[in-house]
Amino acid sequence: MTEATRSIVVRAGLLADGSGRALQSDMSVWIEDDRIHAVGPAAAIEAAAPPDAQRIDLGAACLAPGLIDGHTHLSLAGDGRPYTEMFSETDEMMVLTGALNLQRHLSAGITTIREHGARNRVGFTLKEGLGRGYIPGPRMLVSGRPITCTGGHFHMCNETADGEEEIRRSVRRLVHEGADYIKIMASGGGTAGTDPTRASYSVAELHAAVHEAHHFHRLTAAHCRAKQSMVRAVEAGVDLMEHAEFLEPDGNLHFDPDLAEKMAETGIWISPTLQAWCQWPRVVFLRQRRDVGDASADELRRLEALEQRARGRLDVMRRMLDICGKERIVPGTDSGVNDLAFGHLDYDLQLLVEVGFTPAEALASATRISAEAIGMENDVGTLQVGRIADLVAFAGDPTKDINAVSNVVAVFQAGQRVLCSSATALSS
Ligand SMILES: [Zn+2]
């Protein structure tokens, strides 16, 4: 005998199904085990669902597809310490850090993530623990370790490769160990001794990674802060470009319309990691201090400098959008590094609205569009029959006011309700 089907009917005052259709009111999602069985007007679903189905009424809340964060570093605490200190932790402590971070993200309505690179087997171990049900967390796609050149950004993770041959070997090794996609560092970054304004790999090296990854049906993501690395990543056929800052060797951001045209032509996915560049958690914190009159003169000066820095980045982003459009933009938090704590994809969505997305478009970028970018559009990203039942409910309408995304009232992952009352405390 097979186990009985578990039926749940979740009703909510509003529903944004992620398909781009207008918001619908008084709707229900009927879940059978881990999948969506039906979506429709509450009364119709009520009449059709089995009488013994569990019924959950979320009142006036707005139901949406679970959010997707395309860029996380689970093993890092995001507590403001420099890389050298964070990487002085043991692998065991990094796994524990990851377990806490997974919970924080899930509580914030994020039900799927890409883990963008950890040391040794930490990323793989976290995914395995999640799969065994030892720890709660968003569904993970893992890169395992990021591929980097000798002494390159994140070389501490121990997947160094120079030259096409070594890069091919790295891709094969990672795929063998269980990598769902390949992350490669195409420029320097925040790691001491690396230069974020210069490319780390040649086009031929990047192409070797892409070619080998695609051979194994794996997508590629390249860390590209330097403009030079962006040019090379496009040329090499990388699937997704991280950061895309247009950073020049003089240390400044110089938007390049010709490069943006090429990005638009190839349709490369772009993850601008806006909160990371803008140091947004810091800005939010300092603004709060200012608004209650607690900020010191020093803090006010710091805030002003950060806001100016953010304006420069957001200006580059706006000009890029004019050419590349909004349909290939994938939000990512870069959580874990610096003081980017887990649980705040909302910051990136707020910043997308700041650069011209409507709130509905920002929500679509973190759901339907992100699902396409990571190759999971048949499973997640929309509330449609047959999709995995990943749902998040917000107090308020996120298609009118994106700040509603910060106000999560319920989370369902694969048909299981996961949000507990302590969640808001955890994610703050
Ligand atoms: Zn990163």
Side-chain angles (χ1 to χ4, degrees), residues 71-73 76 83 116-117 153-154 183 185 223 242-243 273 276 333-335 337 340:
H71 192 143
T72 65
H73 299 280
L76 307 179
Y83 280 129
H116 253 7
H153 186 41
F154 270 58
K183 167 88 185 285
M185 300 302 196
H223 160 102
E242 295 290 345
H243 309 302
T273 59
T333 60
D334 214 349
S335 293
V337 310
L340 304 170

Side-chain angles (χ1 to χ4, degrees), residues 266-289:
T266 58
I268 192 169
W269 297 100
I270 306 159
S271 181
T273 59
L274 293 175
Q275 72 164 301
W277 171 274
C278 299
Q279 297 176 42
W280 206 246
R282 198 78 207 143
V283 171
V284 170
F285 172 75
L286 290 172
R287 280 181 178 173
Q288 279 162 359
R289 304 231 343 127

Side-chain angles (χ1 to χ4, degrees), residues 296-316:
S296 67
D298 211 42
E299 284 177 323
L300 290 175
R301 267 193 300 278
R302 179 91 188 110
L303 176 59
E304 170 119 12
L306 284 173
E307 283 177 336
Q308 194 182 339
R309 184 181 146 89
R311 275 194 294 276
R313 175 68 183 96
L314 298 179
D315 182 53
V316 165

Side-chain angles (χ1 to χ4, degrees), residues 30 40-49:
W30 171 0
I45 297 285
E46 179 56 41

